[in-house]
Amino acid sequence: MEKDKKVSLPAVADVLTDGVKFVISRSDLAAWFLLTSIIGMLLLFMPLFPLALGIVTSGWLVVTLALLGFMLGLSAFVLGSSALTYAVFKSGSSICTFKEGFTWAFKNFWTIVWAGTLVALVVITGTIFLLVPAIVVGVLTAFYLLVLIDDGHKGLDALTRSTQLFLRRPWGVVGRMILIWLPLMVAMMMWTTIIEGASSYLEATPHVAATIGVMLLGVIDIIVQIGVSVLAIFILVSFYKALARGAEEYTTKTHRKVRTLYKVMAVIGCLVIVAGSFFTGLTLGNPMNWQNYGEWEAGDYDTFEQYFEENPVGLDY
């Protein structure tokens, strides 16, 4: 057990330096991740195109198409992010391609979704006890996908193993993460401010070159954000590998209490979602909440229309 307590974490400067080098040398991963993100956005909004064109008018069909687009888009995002994580994790002495990661993510899609759902349910339960427990649980389970890739542990075992590894050097990891992400967040905020300011300046210039400049700024901004996403995964992988090195093997018996706690929290989170959905549907479906809507619309429509004619609300508002 004494051997298990000795964990050598990478230095902040080394992680950032190696991370930037990795992002530059593996620009192919960023490109493929960008492509899958674009596909996810298209799938997310594509079912709504018939609604925009007026082809679909049925309320239930609109809801069905919206849910279909949401599920397809979310699936694309899950596959893309999981493929990227797999490729970054496996790219050590040898190079792992995005295609290999996507193949793995596709084969283990439902396992990834189940583990991610459990994390969401556990975090939801944490939010019941204010924000801090939710943040703590989210940090403790941050390695769940890497555990699934590395050890093959699924579901609650992935969450428990992640917690076990994180608790080997909790304050060391947290301190280094703060030193890494606080400056990065400030830098990204400054970058966003610069991009928005430059875009606003160019948009005020009625010239074709200004339009092209705005488009180029948008492309550059997207490239930087994708690069930061790859860097974030590299940082997570670096700390995971350091914590997993020399750690004791995981079994369901060694950390039964933590696993049981996550199981209880997942059940509570599920009940919270069901109860929230039930009461929301009950509230929206209660005729008493809508009984005066028709009378208001019939009596005050002219006044309502006149108000917006006198107070137009648009892009210049």
Side-chain angles (χ1 to χ4, degrees), residues 84-160:
L84 177 62
T85 304
Y86 182 91
V88 174
F89 181 83
K90 293 295 184 178
S91 294
S93 56
S94 60
I95 295 178
C96 179
T97 63
F98 191 87
K99 181 181 178 181
E100 295 177 54
F102 191 86
T103 302
W104 176 86
F106 186 80
K107 291 181 179 179
N108 297 273
F109 176 75
W110 292 112
T111 303
I112 297 170
V113 170
W114 174 238
T117 302
L118 288 174
V119 172
L121 292 175
V122 170
V123 172
I124 287 174
T125 302
T127 58
I128 299 177
F129 305 98
L130 300 180
L131 185 61
V132 174
I135 295 176
V136 171
V137 172
V139 170
L140 291 175
T141 57
F143 297 128
Y144 79 94
L145 184 57
L146 296 173
V147 171
L148 177 60
I149 295 172
D150 188 24
D151 296 331
H153 296 302
K154 305 175 182 178
L156 290 172
D157 291 327
L159 276 65
T160 308

Side-chain angles (χ1 to χ4, degrees), residues 3-4 6-8 10 165 168 238 240-247:
K3 179 181 178 181
D4 186 64
K6 297 179 180 178
V7 182
S8 178
L165 294 177
R168 295 188 69 198
S238 298
Y240 171 82
K241 288 183 176 181
L243 292 170
R245 192 179 301 115

Side-chain angles (χ1 to χ4, degrees), residues 63-234:
V63 174
T64 302
L65 289 175
L67 290 176
L68 177 62
F70 175 78
M71 289 187 292
L72 291 175
L74 184 61
S75 298
F77 289 130
V78 170
L79 289 172
S81 59
S82 300
L84 177 62
T85 304
Y86 182 91
V88 174
F89 181 83
K90 293 295 184 178
S91 294
S93 56
S94 60
I95 295 178
C96 179
T97 63
F98 191 87
K99 181 181 178 181
E100 295 177 54
F102 191 86
T103 302
W104 176 86
F106 186 80
K107 291 181 179 179
N108 297 273
F109 176 75
W110 292 112
T111 303
I112 297 170
V113 170
W114 174 238
T117 302
L118 288 174
V119 172
L121 292 175
V122 170
V123 172
I124 287 174
T125 302
T127 58
I128 299 177
F129 305 98
L130 300 180
L131 185 61
V132 174
I135 295 176
V136 171
V137 172
V139 170
L140 291 175
T141 57
F143 297 128
Y144 79 94
L145 184 57
L146 296 173
V147 171
L148 177 60
I149 295 172
D150 188 24
D151 296 331
H153 296 302
K154 305 175 182 178
L156 290 172
D157 291 327
L159 276 65
T160 308
R161 174 63 170 175
S162 173
T163 302
Q164 173 198 1
L165 294 177
F166 186 86
L167 291 178
R168 295 188 69 198
R169 284 286 301 277
W171 296 115
V173 176
V174 170
R176 284 167 172 78
M177 285 293 187
I178 292 175
L179 290 176
I180 291 173
W181 283 110
L182 189 59
L184 281 177
M185 289 176 62
V186 174
M188 288 304 297
M189 291 174 62
M190 294 174 62
W191 170 260
T192 302
T193 302
I194 293 173
I195 291 295
E196 290 180 351
S199 298
S200 300
Y201 174 79
L202 291 175
E203 288 174 355
T205 305
H207 197 274
V208 177
T211 304
I212 297 176
V214 172
M215 295 176 62
L216 288 176
L217 285 175
V219 172
I220 295 173
D221 187 34
I222 292 175
I223 292 175
V224 170
Q225 292 185 26
I226 293 296
V228 172
S229 299
V230 179
L231 177 62
I233 295 178
F234 181 88

Side-chain angles (χ1 to χ4, degrees), residues 295-316:
E295 298 176 2
W296 172 85
E297 185 179 21
D300 297 336
Y301 181 78
D302 294 337
T303 305
F304 180 78
E305 185 178 20
Q306 182 181 359
Y307 171 81
F308 279 99
E309 288 179 354
E310 297 175 353
N311 302 274
V313 179
L315 296 177
D316 297 329

